[in-house]
Amino acid sequence: MSTPFYVSPQQAMADRAEYARKGIARGRSLVVLQFADGIVFVGENPSRALHKFSEIYDRIGFAAAGKYNEYENLRIGGVRYADLRGYTYDRDDVTARGLANVYAQTLGTIFSSAAEKPYEVELVVAEVGETPEGDQIYRLPHDGSIVDEHGSVAVGGNAEQISSYLDQRHREGMTLAEALKLAVQALSRDTNGSEREIPAERLEVAVLDRTRPQKRKFKRISGRQLSRLLGAGAAGGDEEEASEDAE
Amino acid sequence: MEANTRSTGRLPAAFLTPGSSSFMDFLSEHQPEILPGNRQLPPTQGVIEAPHGTTIVAVTFPGGVVLAGDRRATMGNVIAQRDIEKVFPADEYSAVGIAGTAGLAVEMVKLFQLELEHFEKVEGAQLSLEGKANRLSTMIRSNLGMAMQGLAVVPLFAGYDVDRGKGRIFSYDVTGGRSEEHNYAATGSGSIFARGAMKKLFRDDLSEAEATTLVIQALYDAADDDSATGGPDVARRIYPIVTVITDDGFRRLTENEASEIARSILERRLEQPDGPRAALL
């Protein structure tokens, strides 16, 4: 009779983590950063229809890197969670912290269950507050850990390098155009340090804008508005342009 | 799998199961007991007394549609509430006004708003106006049991059809029967009087400002002849709720705007109690 191979728990977890990390690294990185009026999501995405960023609830946005079908599944789960919670209690009772906890539990359970393959995803859940101090950004790696982030965060294969680039340059109270420009600069740096051009039509950009009059603060930015913002950012961040976009 | 939202644990399997983009479909599979239509009403004697909303009117104009409602809720011959809101945005491009049992109606609107928002978030696209109107129909139909016991909800649905580039109005009956109305429509106890007023005042080249004046005139006439409909309450500063939906989306008139129109109408009515006259021939 054959005995099954013994694999130490450490080794098993390390293997699973490596598997997940490799999967995530195949996709492109994305960044989420705070600016004066809210939180901006920027990523390279050649598809117009398959989004990396989306609205979960009034003030809560979602960003994901990794395997599309897996994060799409988590996204819809999150929308259902938020809508059901808001319907059962009140819209104010839906929070990014609550959602991030549920995602962390879900990812954590999947990661440590031997019956399932680990999810190859890394998520960001962000909530825009009434003031910049009220903004919340949570990063959720594949293993179900949860990191409370401030200022800027990058997820995906090249995340570490982009993060350190952003940490050095991101500051509080940037205009949307400045933050966007910084995000694009960070994303266009390759691992070997060389820069490449990311055309505006390959960028997916969305914001949670606290100045929006509607209760739903999530908004996609594309087309003319996007090129105008990118142009303004290049000119050293034009206050007027940014405020014009906030409408 | 534990079916509740209170647990902070892992998302239940139902949440991660691919399925329909409808929030109501999700609820009916996951937590059917909280859907209003699944509520069991105990056997009752006679009609249940609950606050009722009364008159809702809508009128189209080139480029959009106006939906408005009075502010009175009645319970029998008592005014239950003077400042009730019966007109709500359904989403960016549509609104719903409700006559009938107020409690159920408000709950239905809440679920309807959520249904549209949920679809939009999951699919990344809005439902067509026709699709929204049909969805409301389904919800009214699920309330038929309650309606038979006197707890009917009869909405008026208006929206801007982005594909056709015009405002449209849909009216409903208690069984969920849906019909598209042309030019103008009204529902609720004062609707016969409001409809008469609109019939005489409607033209198909109204401006937005004229359309908003028209609906308040119609509500005034409804309040004039129907005791369950409230007119503009100048002393308490309670004015009809008027909403406008155009290419730019949903907009509710501010209290100032509504009061200005209502006051100018009142002023004219002091001289001419029956309001504007249509030509005889």
Side-chain angles (χ1 to χ4, degrees):
Chain A
M1 223 169 78
S2 63
T3 352
F5 283 111
Y6 172 75
V7 182
S8 73
Q10 287 95 326
Q11 188 57 48
M13 286 304 164
D15 288 349
R16 292 171 74 84
E18 197 196 332
Y19 169 81
R21 264 200 297 271
K22 274 192 176 159
I24 295 164
R26 272 194 287 273
R28 300 217 176 263
S29 305
L30 56 92
V31 298
V32 178
L33 42 158
Q34 281 181 279
F35 67 101
D37 292 332
I39 297 169
V40 60
F41 302 80
V42 188
E44 187 180 352
N45 185 358
S47 169
R48 293 287 102 201
L50 308 173
H51 297 299
K52 287 171 181 291
F53 312 132
S54 35
E55 172 189 13
I56 297 279
Y57 211 61
D58 298 352
R59 296 179 153 270
I60 305 175
F62 171 96
K67 212 164 174 238
Y68 180 79
N69 70 323
E70 292 178 348
Y71 69 66
E72 175 68 3
N73 205 14
L74 287 168
R75 180 183 76 86
I76 290 174
V79 170
R80 287 173 175 167
Y81 163 86
D83 280 347
L84 179 53
R85 202 176 163 88
Y87 181 65
T88 328
Y89 303 112
D90 185 77
R91 294 195 82 94
D92 286 346
D93 296 315
V94 183
T95 59
R97 195 183 55 82
L99 183 68
N101 272 326
V102 172
Y103 277 145
Q105 291 293 342
T106 307
L107 284 169
T109 321
I110 292 169
F111 183 72
S112 38
S113 133
E116 282 176 274
K117 101 178 177 48
Y119 269 22
E120 298 156 66
V121 295
E122 189 164 11
L123 313 180
V124 175
V125 172
E127 176 175 346
V128 68
E130 296 287 345
T131 59
E133 292 74 45
D135 290 350
Q136 295 170 41
I137 304 177
Y138 299 99
R139 183 167 63 87
L140 296 139
H142 54 83
D143 60 357
S145 49
I146 176 166
V147 193
D148 185 4
E149 301 272 6
H150 296 279
S152 63
V153 52
V155 294
N158 203 10
E160 271 175 44
Q161 200 195 353
I162 297 175
S163 279
S164 63
Y165 183 87
L166 285 174
D167 283 343
Q168 286 163 24
R169 288 164 182 81
H170 181 264
R171 53 184 173 73
E172 274 177 40
M174 293 177 107
T175 65
L176 177 57
E178 286 168 346
L180 184 56
K181 179 77 174 145
L182 173 62
V184 175
Q185 274 167 359
L187 288 172
S188 34
R189 292 170 64 83
D190 276 336
T191 16
N192 54 21
S194 63
E195 277 206 35
R196 60 200 176 87
E197 180 93 7
I198 306 178
E201 55 274 13
R202 284 180 69 90
L203 281 175
E204 181 179 351
V205 179
V207 288
L208 285 166
D209 182 349
R210 71 178 117 256
T211 61
R212 257 167 87 80
Q214 294 95 321
K215 66 175 196 275
R216 294 166 71 182
K217 307 294 181 194
F218 184 88
K219 184 183 160 202
R220 292 188 191 284
I221 295 182
S222 55
R224 273 187 28 234
Q225 194 187 11
L226 179 58
S227 5
R228 199 169 69 225
L229 278 169
L230 286 169
D238 194 329
E239 289 278 344
E240 279 171 45
E241 284 278 358
S243 57
E244 185 189 307
D245 273 300
E247 274 154 33
Chain B
M1 193 56 69
E2 176 76 358
N4 77 63
T5 47
R6 290 153 287 266
S7 126
T8 49
R10 178 184 177 167
L11 282 172
F15 284 64
L16 299 176
T17 311
S20 138
S21 309
S22 158
F23 184 67
M24 277 155 59
D25 289 357
F26 168 67
L27 270 191
S28 62
E29 270 172 35
H30 179 59
Q31 239 178 306
E33 72 282 1
I34 65 171
L35 271 180
N38 292 340
R39 217 164 281 143
Q40 293 296 320
L41 207 62
T44 47
Q45 299 258 307
V47 172
I48 302 163
E49 280 274 288
H52 269 243
T54 39
T55 309
I56 306 290
V57 294
V59 54
T60 58
F61 64 92
V65 59
V66 175
L67 183 71
D70 75 311
R71 306 292 292 270
R72 182 173 287 181
T74 55
M75 200 157 69
N77 62 345
V78 172
I79 297 175
Q81 200 183 336
R82 295 176 198 281
D83 62 349
I84 190 173
E85 299 197 358
K86 300 179 244 178
V87 180
F88 305 90
D91 65 358
E92 190 78 30
Y93 287 106
S94 63
V96 57
I98 298 244
T101 316
L104 294 177
V106 171
E107 188 183 13
M108 189 179 286
V109 169
K110 196 174 143 192
L111 190 55
F112 182 57
Q113 290 169 326
L114 195 51
E115 175 77 3
L116 302 186
E117 187 189 321
H118 188 82
F119 184 95
E120 194 188 321
K121 287 192 289 198
V122 171
E123 297 272 321
Q126 287 214 340
L127 271 173
S128 65
L129 192 69
E130 203 92 25
K132 296 176 200 172
N134 284 337
R135 216 52 208 151
L136 190 54
S137 206
T138 315
M139 296 180 64
I140 299 164
R141 209 165 284 138
S142 72
N143 191 51
L144 188 59
M146 302 267 207
M148 300 305 273
Q149 309 224 23
L151 301 177
V153 176
V154 193
L156 199 58
F157 178 66
Y160 183 78
D161 192 327
V162 186
D163 302 323
R164 297 195 195 179
K166 62 172 191 170
R168 296 169 72 188
I169 308 170
F170 296 89
S171 71
Y172 298 84
D173 61 37
V174 285
T175 63
R178 186 207 92 170
S179 52
E180 181 166 1
E181 303 274 353
H182 297 285
N183 304 337
Y184 56 86
T187 184
S189 63
S191 61
I192 27 174
F193 310 110
R195 196 175 296 131
M198 288 192 287
K199 188 194 242 173
K200 296 293 174 236
L201 296 176
F202 181 82
R203 298 193 318 267
D204 45 16
D205 60 345
L206 292 169
S207 68
E208 184 183 316
E210 287 170 331
T212 52
T213 309
L214 193 158
V215 289
I216 299 184
Q217 289 277 19
L219 286 173
Y220 189 101
D221 282 326
D224 211 17
D225 288 311
D226 171 39
S227 62
T229 304
D233 190 340
V234 184
R236 294 188 183 82
R237 296 202 184 87
I238 302 170
Y239 302 99
I241 292 179
V242 183
T243 65
V244 184
I245 309 146
T246 60
D247 203 5
D248 292 332
F250 173 92
R251 184 173 82 89
R252 179 174 152 173
L253 257 58
T254 62
E255 202 188 291
N256 272 342
E257 288 173 301
S259 80
E260 208 166 288
I261 303 172
R263 278 167 183 274
S264 57
I265 288 175
L266 273 174
E267 220 147 87
R268 294 293 295 274
R269 295 262 173 160
L270 290 177
E271 295 154 20
Q272 209 172 14
D274 294 338
R277 309 216 172 221
L280 201 54
L281 254 180

